[in-house]
Amino acid sequence: TPGIRPLVAGNWKMNGTSASLNELRAITHGFMHGLDADTEALVCVPATLVFRAAEIAASTPVRIGGEDCHAKESGAHTGDVSAEMLKDAGASHVIVGHSERRTDHGEDDAAVRAKAEAAWRAGLVAVICIGETRAERESGATLDILSRQIEGSVPASATPANAVIAYEPVWAIGTGLTPTVADVAEAHAHIRARLLERLGADAGKMRILYGGSVKPSNAVELLAIDNVDGALVGGASLKAADFLGIAEAYQ
Ligand code: PEP
């Protein structure tokens, strides 16, 4: 989208130990040497790695994010991590509402909205995920589902500076399947229109990422689609060569 700086974001999910930080080092190296300086890079890592990842990425163009946060700042929530803790560990972003959180932990739109607000309270950018299931796609409900998720998950105070939207068809995540170019274009145009309606003209500058089986071989095609302002990359973000190969789509 004209006037929008693209964002290539990785999501390591529940993968990665100390040894994986070498991949992160290679990713920072790639973004410092040779990749288009206009492309922003983000790697969202498990909470256990945020602190060390942020040290590695400090003074490189790569930003570090968490993969989820609790809505509260602190308290009796054993095992949970707050947005403030992620910020303190060096994160600048946090993913909220990933379909795996919605499925594994029963997070609904209201919970996701509360997490986005928690991210802002802590000074993090929220990467808010939405997307239809296979059954919803097959029944023709995709655009309605996206409207409902935007209404429910995206707080009215979202701005291009504090929020990124990620469109991730659930059936395309980790499956190797991707929607057609026409289907991605339709979904992203719909999301843009709903955001403009909900948030006003500023939403014309909000980044809408595509996520779901993005890899180097399909990145050029997917990232060239209207209203696709970057990618959220799961599996292919674990290997520096693949993640950098996707970012090269912007060269
Ligand atoms: C994701 O987890 O956000 C994702 C898009 O995964 P993958 O790229 O592996 O499909």
Side-chain angles (χ1 to χ4, degrees), residues 1-250:
T1 310
I4 300 189
R5 194 172 171 220
L7 172 65
V8 178
N11 169 20
W12 281 10
K13 314 193 185 199
M14 196 171 72
N15 298 292
T17 58
S18 312
S20 323
L21 294 171
N22 283 330
E23 295 299 324
L24 180 66
R25 286 186 187 93
I27 289 170
T28 59
H29 190 84
F31 278 94
M32 283 189 294
H33 305 283
L35 276 169
D36 180 3
D38 262 353
T39 307
E40 210 176 309
L42 167 68
V43 182
C44 297
V45 298
T48 48
L49 292 180
V50 169
F51 186 84
R52 290 173 71 190
E55 285 188 329
I56 288 166
S59 60
T60 82
V62 177
R63 320 295 298 277
I64 299 300
E67 300 176 4
D68 173 57
C69 65
H70 195 280
K72 299 247 169 67
E73 182 174 349
S74 62
H77 302 286
T78 303
D80 276 312
V81 172
S82 72
E84 281 78 2
M85 290 167 167
L86 294 171
K87 172 80 175 177
D88 178 61
S92 55
H93 293 62
V94 63
I95 298 171
V96 296
H98 191 281
S99 74
E100 289 151 18
R101 298 291 314 177
R102 291 178 187 259
T103 304
D104 292 358
H105 299 274
E107 293 181 8
D108 61 11
D109 285 329
V112 175
R113 188 172 65 238
K115 288 176 181 219
E117 284 167 344
W120 302 340
R121 184 188 64 219
L124 300 176
V125 176
V127 180
I128 306 170
C129 301
I130 58 175
E132 83 285 0
T133 63
R134 179 189 301 275
E136 289 161 348
R137 163 72 56 183
E138 282 169 359
S139 70
T142 297
L143 301 184
D144 286 344
I145 293 293
L146 296 177
S147 298
R148 195 189 314 155
Q149 290 177 333
I150 289 167
E151 184 72 26
S153 303
V154 181
S157 47
T159 70
N162 67 19
V164 174
I165 307 300
Y167 169 56
E168 301 207 302
V170 178
W171 53 273
I173 296 177
T175 58
L177 303 172
T178 53
T180 63
V181 166
D183 285 343
V184 172
E186 181 187 45
H188 279 246
H190 181 79
I191 292 166
R192 178 76 66 203
R194 293 291 80 73
L195 291 173
L196 285 166
E197 221 170 64
R198 181 167 168 72
L199 307 172
D202 254 13
K205 297 252 182 270
M206 188 171 288
R207 284 182 286 203
I208 308 173
L209 311 184
Y210 168 77
S213 298
V214 179
K215 41 191 189 235
S217 59
N218 61 20
V220 170
E221 183 178 52
L222 289 166
L223 296 180
I225 299 170
D226 274 359
N227 289 303
V228 175
D229 308 310
L232 181 54
V233 182
S237 69
L238 292 166
K239 286 270 165 266
D242 290 341
F243 191 64
L244 294 169
I246 290 166
E248 275 168 19
Y250 283 112

